[in-house]
Each structure stands twice: as structure tokens, then as C-alpha cells.
Amino acid sequence: MKPVENPTKRTAHNREETFHLSVQGRNLEVRRIPGENLPELVFLHEGLGSVSHWKDFPARIAASTRCPVTVYSRYGSGNSDVLAEARTVSYMHDEALRTLPDLLSQLHIQNPILIGHSDGASIALIHAGAHDRLRGLILLAPHVFVEDLSVASIAAAKTSFETTNLPQKLARHHRDAARTFWGWNNIWLHPDFRRWNIEEYLPRIACPILAIQGLDDQYGTMAQVEAIARQSGGSVEILKLAECRHSPQRDQPDAVQEAITKFVRGR
């Protein structure tokens, strides 16, 4: 599918649009929801996420904040180009420092609030630590270092992919579910990935942060958001949610929507 010539026109007539955009030589699936207010909210999905995997959550946030929203599927996910090679330990850095700046520039998005989930939250943190043009960060179940719990749960996901209907479930959201899954799973279980750590970026972050963490998260503990609060150069608000696992926007959607709306209105 050809990239759009002028993506900014896509939201000019109050129409939600989904299209493909060439970013860093790859076609990425992009969804834009128009809004009345600034800043623009840019959603960054989890390791196995995509535009469709967010379901109606971005639309709900667009409606409650009245802000324009951009959601995209990273390379290897959703209806973006299929992953053609193994991921490296630096894949989140590459996304944060190369792909995301290119995408924001092409879409003429300035001073956004990034809303990241899991891998997407880590990408948002790296980007924020390298750029000072953000209005804020909203982090859902972020990772800043690798925990034993994370590795154990990702190993369990490998077993689920091999023995359950997980491939069929993921196929609803990805052009090639197997490539998407193994691209994520293999690198997180690689021995070199145990040293992955992005805490060095935290003191460089000046914008306000809302960090949301489920107390029952199977992929990370409160140590992640506590490290962000302790080391970030900007203000950090933490929302701890009971009866909530790794996807706060699914397990506690109303509480998450309320917190995000309040945070965005304060910017």
C-alpha cells in the first residue's frame, strides 16, 4: 500500500482514518482520530500489540480528552510490514531514537503526550530521555530493567504459543502471528537481553509522568515504576491498581481512563 502524500489532511475533516506510511523504509499501519484540543496523544503498543490489539481504548481516550490521537503498529506487528529478521537487544532503542522521531516528523506532531504499554512504555521513556519536546508520558506497565518474573512469564508464553490456541488469537491482530511472536519472545529470552537496562535515560526526562502499574502484573513488579519515580528528572505520579495484571487498560479500564483524562487535562 502506498504511503499517504499528506497525512495531516487525514484528520482535517473530522474523519478517523487508517492508512500506511513509509517510515525508515518500512510501511507502517497508522490510525488517526481527530480531536479539538492539543496535545496530540500517541499510543505505543506492547510487544505483541498492534493498532487493532488496543481495541476501543484509544477511541475512549480520544472521546474523554477531546485530543487528537495517533496509533500505529510497529514494524513486524499488526498490518505493518512483516518482520524479516531477528530482533536485536537494541530494538526498543532503534524504535525510540529512529522510527518514532521520523513518524512524528512526517505526521507533523509536535509536543505530544506518549501513551506506552509495556515495550511501548519503555520506548516512550527512551524517546523522552533523548528529546525534550514532550508534554508528558503515560506509562502502562513499563519496563526499565529485566526481572526474573518477566523472563519466567515470557518463557511460559513460549509454551502457550506452542501448545494452545494463542497463535490463532494473535492472528486476529497480525499479518504473520508466528513472526511477530518469535521476534518478541526470542529476544526477551536471549541471554544477552538480561543486561538490558534503560535507567540511564530517566534523569534526562523533564516532562511529567503518569505511571500505572497493576499489583498482579505477571511481567513486572512495582520495582519498575519505583525506579522511574526515584530517578526521573520530572514529576512522577504513580497509580497502583489492585486486581490488575499486565494490561491495566483492559483489567481496570475505567480507572485508567479517569487517570489519563485527568493527567492530560492538566497539561
Side-chain angles (χ1 to χ4, degrees):
M1 190 171 185
K2 293 182 179 180
V4 295
E5 294 181 1
N6 189 346
T8 59
K9 293 182 179 180
R10 291 285 184 166
T11 55
H13 304 293
N14 293 320
R15 292 190 306 148
E16 179 181 321
E17 295 285 348
T18 299
F19 53 93
H20 280 73
L21 183 69
S22 179
V23 181
Q24 297 288 295
R26 295 169 177 136
N27 277 344
L28 303 185
E29 175 190 22
V30 181
R31 179 187 181 197
R32 302 198 83 183
I33 304 172
E36 301 174 15
N37 305 322
L38 292 175
E40 183 140 356
L41 311 180
V42 178
F43 283 71
L44 305 171
H45 62 73
E46 62 173 297
L48 297 178
S50 65
V51 167
S52 66
H53 196 259
W54 282 108
K55 298 187 177 179
D56 68 343
F57 186 68
R60 289 183 58 175
I61 298 302
S64 63
T65 63
R66 301 175 70 182
C67 289
V69 162
T70 292
V71 192
Y72 76 100
S73 296
R74 295 194 294 276
Y75 166 56
S77 301
N79 285 317
S80 294
D81 281 353
V82 173
L83 190 66
E85 67 284 319
R87 292 204 184 279
T88 67
V89 174
S90 66
Y91 79 97
M92 284 184 270
H93 288 74
D94 295 340
E95 186 72 25
L97 303 177
R98 298 177 184 175
T99 302
L100 182 56
D102 188 358
L103 181 137
L104 295 176
S105 175
Q106 290 196 53
L107 296 178
H108 306 286
I109 298 174
Q110 299 180 345
N111 309 114
I113 291 177
L114 302 182
I115 302 178
H117 176 213
S118 190
D119 277 18
S122 302
I123 291 165
L125 285 166
I126 297 169
H127 181 85
H131 300 272
D132 60 0
R133 298 185 296 276
L134 299 180
R135 294 278 286 274
L137 291 176
I138 298 171
L139 311 173
L140 308 173
H143 300 284
V144 295
F145 50 82
V146 178
E147 296 180 275
D148 290 342
L149 175 66
S150 307
V151 175
S153 293
I154 290 170
K158 177 179 184 291
T159 300
S160 294
F161 192 82
E162 293 171 334
T163 62
T164 71
N165 66 342
L166 181 56
Q168 288 74 33
K169 290 181 178 180
L170 290 177
R172 302 170 190 167
H173 302 288
H174 304 285
R175 289 175 57 188
D176 191 322
R179 286 181 179 270
T180 299
F181 179 83
W182 293 119
W184 165 78
N185 194 263
N186 286 341
I187 190 57
W188 269 87
L189 294 182
H190 195 286
D192 290 348
F193 201 77
R194 293 304 297 261
R195 296 190 297 272
W196 178 89
N197 187 300
I198 60 170
E199 289 177 283
E200 66 179 288
Y201 288 92
L202 300 179
R204 309 177 202 170
I205 299 174
C207 66
I209 295 174
L210 169 63
I212 302 175
Q213 180 70 34
L215 294 176
D216 303 312
D217 190 338
Q218 71 273 35
Y219 286 101
T221 70
M222 287 299 301
Q224 302 287 341
V225 294
E226 289 168 354
I228 293 169
R230 186 173 60 252
Q231 300 179 60
S232 175
S235 63
V236 180
E237 174 187 351
I238 295 177
L239 175 61
K240 305 176 185 179
L241 294 174
E243 299 182 6
C244 180
R245 286 165 60 85
H246 191 57
S247 299
Q249 71 277 15
R250 294 187 181 181
D251 292 348
Q252 297 286 354
D254 293 337
V256 171
Q257 181 176 347
E258 180 181 359
I260 289 177
T261 302
K262 180 180 178 181
F263 179 85
V264 170
R265 287 176 178 170
R267 307 281 74 81

